[in-house]
């Protein structure tokens, strides 16, 4: 007998969906938030909501053909890429200086660090952020997924829908640019 | 051994080379200072990028996120319904004005005497009876609008 799926608002299917959704946010909320934050900075909060709204809506259609994490990363990176491309195109929503400084303070605040070490870390964090934002969005995405999120090449290819070779060559280009810009912080 | 492609050096740092290939590249690093420096710099860069910390969501923020997304999803559903209803109203307006114009044209075609407003209203009513059967509420709404326009 064919399985018929009935979606009834407020019924068992909706309850199941809500429960699954809550489980996903509980388990992966921080990871998605971190990724989005690393991609777009202080505008992350709004964007994270949009990402999870899309997750909520697409959940009934998710059949597990991809790994759940890959699926989440795909939704999140696509949303971030859209956002960054649009921002670049319209040139209207640049990070204000205050927002920018606030991001840096948040990121540099390491528990137990001395004030001097804090300032140093702040400078470095600010510099890293500045360098990351100067990269073309595709290069930034691949370096965030690999070096900050720790994804394997194969996962990155699945998330972004790029061939493996493209992942490798773009990662190489991104790192080459970052090495040049951050050379004062590298020992040689 | 010739110097490996830079992409291979990165794959080594990322642990993405097959074991035999990794062993070959590692042997090469022992005798090639240029490649060894490249690898060291990649490692340093990766370490530099990794030490950045970011704010973490706590229990409360997770709960707020779940709630807010659910609310937004609900609002969106209602908006979709409202948009659908708006387009139905728009369609019935177009229909009503169309049938009105048609009636007007039929009664005032060349060679006929101009019709008094009350005769026109009657004709319109008659016309709409016919549409009403097929179109129900939409035609009804359209008729009300026409009466309101005529009444002015
Ligand atoms: Zn070499």
């Amino acid at each position: 007998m064919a399985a018929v799926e009935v979606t009834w608002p407020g019924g068992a299917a909706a309850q199941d969906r809500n429960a699954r959704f809550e489980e996903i946010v509980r388990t992966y909320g921080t990871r998605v938030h971190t990724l989005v934050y690393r991609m777009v900075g202080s505008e992350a909060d709004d964007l994270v909501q949009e990402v999870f709204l899309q997750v909520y809506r697409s959940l009934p259609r998710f059949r597990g053909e991809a790994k759940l994490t890959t699926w989440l990363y795909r939704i999140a990176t696509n949303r971030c890429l859209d956002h960054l491309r649009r921002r670049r195109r319209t040139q209207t929503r640049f990070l204000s200086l205050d927002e920018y400084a606030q991001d840096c303070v948040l990121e540099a605040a390491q528990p137990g660090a001395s004030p001097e070490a804090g300032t140093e870390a702040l400078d470095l964090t600010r510099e890293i952020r500045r360098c990351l934002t100067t990269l073309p969005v595709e290069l930034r995405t691949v370096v965030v997924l690999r070096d900050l999120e720790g994804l394997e090449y194969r996962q990155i290819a699945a998330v972004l829908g790029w061939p493996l070779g493209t992942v490798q060559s773009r990662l190489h280009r991104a790192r080459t640019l970052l090495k040049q810009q951050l050379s004062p912080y590298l020992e040689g | 051994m010739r110097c490996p492609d830079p992409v291979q050096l990165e794959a080594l740092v990322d642990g993405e080379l097959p074991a035999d290939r990794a062993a070959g590249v590692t042997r090469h690093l022992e005798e090639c200072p240029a490649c060894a420096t490249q690898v060291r710099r990649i490692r340093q860069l990766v370490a530099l990028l990794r030490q950045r910390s970011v704010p973490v969501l706590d229990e409360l923020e997770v709960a707020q996120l779940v709630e807010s997304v659910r609310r937004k999803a609900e609002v969106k559903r209602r908006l979709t319904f409202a948009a659908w209803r708006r387009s139905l109203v728009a369609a019935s307006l177009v229909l009503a004005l169309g049938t009105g114009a048609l009636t007007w044209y039929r009664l005032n075609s060349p060679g006929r005497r101009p019709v008094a407003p009350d005769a026109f209203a009657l004709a319109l009513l008659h016309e709409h009876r016919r549409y009403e059967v097929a179109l129900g509420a939409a035609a009804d709404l359209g008729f009300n609008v026409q009466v309101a326009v005529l009444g002015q």
Side-chain angles (χ1 to χ4, degrees), chain B residues 9 28-30 32-41 43:
Chain B
L9 296 181
H28 172 78
L29 295 181
E30 282 161 16
C32 177
C35 286
T37 303
Q38 282 304 312
V39 166
R40 200 166 54 243
R41 283 174 69 86
R43 289 216 163 96

Side-chain angles (χ1 to χ4, degrees), chain A residues 21-22 26 34 37-38 49 56-57 107 110 128 146-148 152-153 168 172 175 186-188, chain B residues 6-7 10-11 14 16 40-41 44 50-54 57 59 68-70 72-73 76:
Chain A
F21 178 67
E22 196 162 334
R26 215 165 278 291
T34 306
Y37 184 83
R38 283 166 166 166
Q49 293 212 0
Y56 184 80
R57 285 210 210 99
E107 278 182 34
Q110 305 266 6
I128 291 174
R146 172 59 227 167
D147 289 335
L148 285 75
E152 293 170 8
Y153 291 176
Q168 286 183 283
H172 174 63
R175 282 172 170 172
L186 303 173
E187 284 151 30
Chain B
V7 166
E10 305 213 0
D14 291 327
E16 296 262 359
R40 200 166 54 243
R41 283 174 69 86
Q44 283 169 2
R50 285 236 171 108
Q51 58 177 239
R52 301 165 79 229
S53 65
V54 288
L57 296 187
E59 275 289 295
S68 137
V69 166
R70 232 184 256 161
K72 274 191 181 168
K76 196 90 176 181

Side-chain angles (χ1 to χ4, degrees), chain A residues 46-136:
Chain A
D46 288 345
L47 220 53
V48 166
Q49 293 212 0
E50 287 178 34
V51 167
F52 277 113
L53 187 59
Q54 195 178 334
V55 168
Y56 184 80
R57 285 210 210 99
S58 316
L59 202 52
R61 290 192 302 274
F62 178 66
R63 292 275 175 271
E65 57 289 316
K67 267 171 66 181
L68 184 64
T69 46
T70 305
W71 183 67
L72 289 172
Y73 270 112
R74 188 180 301 146
I75 290 176
T77 48
N78 281 339
R79 196 64 203 79
C80 290
L81 282 170
D82 279 354
H83 176 81
L84 292 170
R85 286 185 190 125
R86 200 175 314 136
R87 192 167 70 187
R88 184 152 298 186
R89 203 161 46 233
T90 58
Q91 305 268 310
T92 52
R93 292 208 63 192
F94 278 117
L95 225 53
S96 76
L97 213 60
D98 279 352
E99 283 177 314
Y100 178 76
Q102 201 185 358
D103 285 358
C104 297
V105 172
L106 275 171
E107 278 182 34
Q110 305 266 6
S114 71
E116 303 82 56
T119 327
E120 233 169 80
L122 188 61
D123 286 344
L124 176 57
T125 307
R126 194 175 286 154
E127 188 57 15
I128 291 174
R129 167 167 287 287
R130 193 191 63 74
C131 294
L132 276 175
T133 51
T134 60
L135 293 180

